Amino acid sequence: MHLANRSLVTAACSAAVLLAALTGCAPQPEAGPQTKASGQAGGTAGACAPGKLATEVPGKLTVGTDKPAYAPWFSDDDPSNGKGFESAVAYAVAKQLGYERDAVVWQHTPFNSAFAPGAKKFDFDINQVSINEDRKKAVAFSSGYYDVRQAVVALKSSKAAKATSLADLKDVKLGAQVGTTSLEFINDLVKPDQKPAVYQRNDFAKSALKTGQVDAIVVDLPTAFYITGAEVPEATVVGQFPNSTDNPEQFGLVLDKESALTSCVSGAVDALRKDGTLAALEKEWLSDAVDAPVLK
Amino acid sequence: MTLHKTPPVVGTDTYTPSERRLARERHHRTRTRRATAIAATSTLVTGVVLYFLITGSPGWQRTQETFFSLHYAREALPEVLEGLWLNLRLLLMCGSAVLALGLLLAVARTLRGPVFFPIRALATAYTDFFRGLPLIICLLMVVFGVPALRLEGVTNDPVLLGGAALVLTYSAYVAEVFRAGIESVHPSQRAAARSLGLSSGKTLRFVVLPQAVRRVVPPLLNDLVSLQKDTGLVSIAGAVDAVYAAQIIASKDFNYTPYVVAGLVFVALTIPMTRLTDWVTARMDRRRAQGGLV
């Protein structure tokens, strides 16, 4: 008797609660981004009114990047100082969009959450993210602001330092950071005999290089020169990977897939490329990244 | 109470349940049926409501593409399974080492007699330190610190070093579990054993430890399952385990499905392990209660 009654009551209660939830807290179709998107930009100047974009925080431009922010992309782990290539690019893009320095708000966005499907808290994310087709299914990219080349760094004392071709790297223990194209280069181009070591952060990759747990690591060229110049002086840049000419790898700004700003931000990046700003910033912050021999 | 009553004839059971008893049983049966029906309906309603709540949400389609994409699941499964092989090897090696070392530590902590004081103190200090030290820091110290010493003859292999760090931390946990078991054995057991003439070593081996270990099988299993999941942390040194294999694909393609695949694989691994230990425990109980359970 009791049992039956109780289960009846419980069932009724849970059904009621769930129904209430269904009607009460069912997420309404998002009013925010949707209405923002109504000003859908066609890349025309009218839609990208300077300083009047439909940003997360009106009147401000919220820019995401990971922490720690590595040199030479940023300087002193402080993206807001305008030093370092990506910090400078972010401020240049902001300016192009009509946002002065004080209207730019930086936000710590871990790499993994930059492509989470939920609503984004940033207007765009700048974090050395390479553009590729698979990623375009999850996020929107601006046009590329930097052409990346991947390079091999090894201790001067190791056998990897003498490599002159991709074949010379076959029997070498290589390492790279997770989520980077460096890892894809290793797997697709070198196809080494030993599985590459994969690190959560470049710091760990550097540690492993120093202690000899890996013979060489693969990073992008500016990082490679920064490592050999400032962090691990006993290492050398062995060479760079050949870049496919028809589809060069580029870093792009990451935006939410449904972001209304994509075309405006892309337009800003294109304009900066056209007027030589990007080239100047590259020269200013990444000039150490001179050429390295190409490993065929 | 009459003593001269003819005993009932054995074998001719003339018992027929009374009307009232039959009615009571009928009543119980209908009650049970009704309760089951209500529970089933309630579950069904809950399921349907949840289904519509989730699939009806505005972001469902993107969530489905991001977390439950068949294409990426297919791509991830072989990689995840290959990584899982590393988890399993680590679990086997570290698990046995942890059990042995943990038991040793627990025994060292429960040794009696003033002469053993340094051993007791060392074992206590060890468990205190390594139980408190965050595992990730222990791993970093061992994995990147040991090679930095450049010792001759000491391995540089990140998997071996990571395994060693896991053993250090987990044997401290397990030692405490064993110690709790040892101390839960009633002193009278020890006294009885000693009065039968068993030495203290034999008392420990034949009387105390069998009872102690049997009592702590469930918490031991907890630690083992926990160890199984933490084997993945070895990936901090660059080795690729199941979760890490998933992360590599996830961050390459910006899709979270590989994580879901890896999660399910781990759950699927834990369930048989739990059932196995349940069965072992039940068997131990049956053996202990040979006179039949009360």
Side-chain angles (χ1 to χ4, degrees):
Chain A
M1 181 76 217
H2 264 316
L3 176 74
N5 261 350
R6 206 174 320 156
S7 60
L8 190 61
V9 171
T10 316
C13 277
S14 53
V17 166
L18 277 165
L19 281 171
L22 187 59
T23 50
C25 9
Q28 300 305 318
E30 294 163 36
Q34 243 53 342
T35 46
K36 277 187 212 161
S38 62
Q40 193 56 273
T44 56
C48 302
K52 299 260 188 302
L53 298 177
T55 51
E56 285 295 322
V57 182
K60 300 267 182 208
L61 195 67
T62 315
V63 184
T65 192
D66 203 348
K67 212 172 168 53
Y70 290 108
W73 310 103
F74 295 94
S75 169
D76 308 328
D77 191 16
D78 175 17
S80 65
N81 58 12
K83 293 179 182 162
F85 178 69
E86 289 197 333
S87 179
V89 167
Y91 281 118
V93 170
K95 196 169 167 155
Q96 193 73 25
L97 294 169
Y99 291 87
E100 287 306 316
R101 273 198 72 146
D102 54 353
V104 176
V105 184
W106 287 90
Q107 193 194 53
H108 170 212
T109 309
F111 178 74
N112 271 336
S113 61
F115 57 90
K120 307 283 188 294
K121 297 270 185 297
F122 53 77
D123 294 314
F124 65 77
D125 181 71
I126 183 162
N127 192 15
Q128 304 121 64
V129 184
S130 301
I131 302 169
N132 76 20
E133 285 310 313
D134 275 312
R135 291 175 172 186
K136 279 184 185 167
K137 292 179 200 159
V139 295
F141 284 103
S142 72
S143 24
Y145 58 88
Y146 180 71
D147 295 9
V148 202
R149 282 156 308 160
Q150 301 290 335
V152 182
V153 177
L155 290 184
K156 287 169 184 161
S157 54
S158 78
K159 60 177 180 188
K162 297 178 190 65
T164 52
S165 69
L166 293 178
D168 294 347
L169 293 171
K170 240 186 149 44
D171 57 348
V172 165
K173 178 79 178 172
L174 293 164
Q177 193 188 356
V178 64
T180 57
T181 35
S182 319
L183 188 59
E184 292 170 54
F185 270 89
I186 294 177
N187 287 328
D188 302 345
L189 283 176
V190 181
K191 302 191 182 72
D193 303 332
Q194 305 177 60
K195 277 194 93 112
V198 189
Y199 297 96
Q200 290 285 2
R201 311 230 305 257
N202 262 341
D203 307 349
F204 297 155
K206 287 171 217 162
S207 282
L209 182 69
K210 273 187 204 162
T211 57
Q213 285 173 328
V214 289
D215 298 321
I217 58 174
V218 179
V219 288
D220 54 69
L221 202 56
T223 305
F225 278 101
Y226 188 81
I227 289 175
T228 54
E231 291 171 317
V232 191
E234 63 269 35
T236 173
V237 180
V238 179
Q240 57 173 312
F241 283 107
N243 209 342
S244 63
T245 40
D246 49 312
N247 190 14
E249 188 192 343
Q250 288 191 317
F251 286 160
L253 305 173
V254 178
L255 297 97
D256 188 61
K257 201 174 172 190
E258 277 103 29
S259 173
L261 307 180
T262 309
S263 54
C264 300
V265 173
S266 275
V269 173
D270 291 338
L272 292 172
R273 187 177 284 277
K274 220 177 186 152
D275 69 10
T277 310
L278 285 181
L281 291 176
E282 225 173 282
K283 204 169 166 58
E284 182 181 355
W285 297 109
L286 307 176
S287 59
D288 299 347
V290 285
D291 262 359
V294 176
L295 304 164
K296 287 283 182 221
Chain B
M1 265 296 276
T2 47
L3 284 175
H4 299 290
K5 208 171 176 217
T6 46
V9 186
V10 182
T12 56
D13 190 9
T14 54
Y15 170 74
T16 44
S18 69
E19 225 11 80
R20 185 176 290 175
R21 174 164 184 171
L22 286 174
R24 194 165 55 229
E25 283 175 354
R26 259 201 310 278
H27 175 77
H28 275 306
R29 269 199 301 275
T30 48
R31 281 278 163 224
T32 316
R33 263 205 302 274
R34 206 176 126 189
T36 315
I38 290 174
T41 319
S42 158
T43 311
L44 195 70
V45 168
T46 311
V48 167
V49 168
L50 278 176
Y51 174 80
F52 281 110
L53 193 70
I54 292 168
T55 56
S57 58
W60 167 243
Q61 196 179 349
R62 259 192 82 185
T63 309
Q64 194 183 10
E65 283 165 14
T66 316
F67 287 87
F68 308 104
S69 138
L70 204 60
H71 164 73
Y72 286 113
R74 277 208 196 95
E75 190 181 331
L77 191 61
E79 302 281 333
V80 167
L81 288 179
E82 195 176 326
L84 190 72
W85 177 228
L86 176 72
N87 291 107
L88 286 176
R89 275 178 306 168
L90 272 168
L91 177 66
L92 276 175
M93 303 308 289
C94 297
S96 17
V98 160
L99 285 177
L101 193 61
L103 191 57
L104 207 65
L105 281 165
V107 169
R109 275 196 77 168
T110 49
L111 284 174
R112 283 140 187 265
V115 71
F116 294 122
F117 176 79
I119 295 184
R120 279 201 301 272
L122 276 176
T124 311
Y126 176 90
T127 45
D128 282 356
F129 182 76
F130 280 103
R131 266 207 314 174
L133 186 70
L135 177 56
I136 203 86
I137 293 176
C138 181
L139 270 162
L140 281 174
M141 292 286 167
V142 174
V143 167
F144 292 117
V146 171
L149 295 172
R150 301 193 185 278
L151 297 165
E152 269 315 306
V154 173
T155 179
N156 238 356
D157 185 335
V159 176
L160 287 176
L161 290 170
L166 284 173
V167 170
L168 284 176
T169 298
Y170 269 87
S171 52
Y173 293 148
V174 168
E176 287 300 276
V177 171
F178 276 132
R179 190 170 68 99
I182 290 172
E183 288 181 353
S184 76
V185 175
H186 200 274
S188 63
Q189 295 282 320
R190 198 184 296 266
R194 294 309 301 271
S195 60
L196 283 174
L198 294 179
S199 66
S200 66
K202 279 190 169 162
T203 301
L204 193 67
R205 190 176 141 199
F206 293 113
V207 178
V208 178
L209 280 185
Q211 298 185 68
V213 170
R214 199 177 294 144
R215 278 180 202 177
V216 295
V217 165
L220 275 183
L221 174 73
N222 255 351
D223 279 341
L224 216 59
V225 170
S226 178
L227 172 66
Q228 172 197 311
K229 287 179 295 197
D230 278 347
T231 48
L233 292 175
V234 171
S235 65
I236 202 164
V240 179
D241 79 304
V243 177
Y244 210 30
Q247 190 190 336
I248 290 169
I249 300 171
S251 49
K252 186 179 76 166
D253 299 332
F254 283 11
N255 190 292
Y256 288 90
T257 310
Y259 285 127
V260 177
V261 172
L264 291 177
V265 164
F266 266 107
V267 172
L269 198 66
T270 309
I271 291 173
M273 221 164 95
T274 319
R275 292 294 154 269
L276 177 75
T277 40
D278 280 355
W279 175 78
V280 170
T281 322
R283 199 182 63 155
M284 283 205 287
D285 284 344
R286 273 201 307 277
R287 287 193 171 172
R288 195 177 39 178
Q290 272 175 345
L293 285 169
V294 182

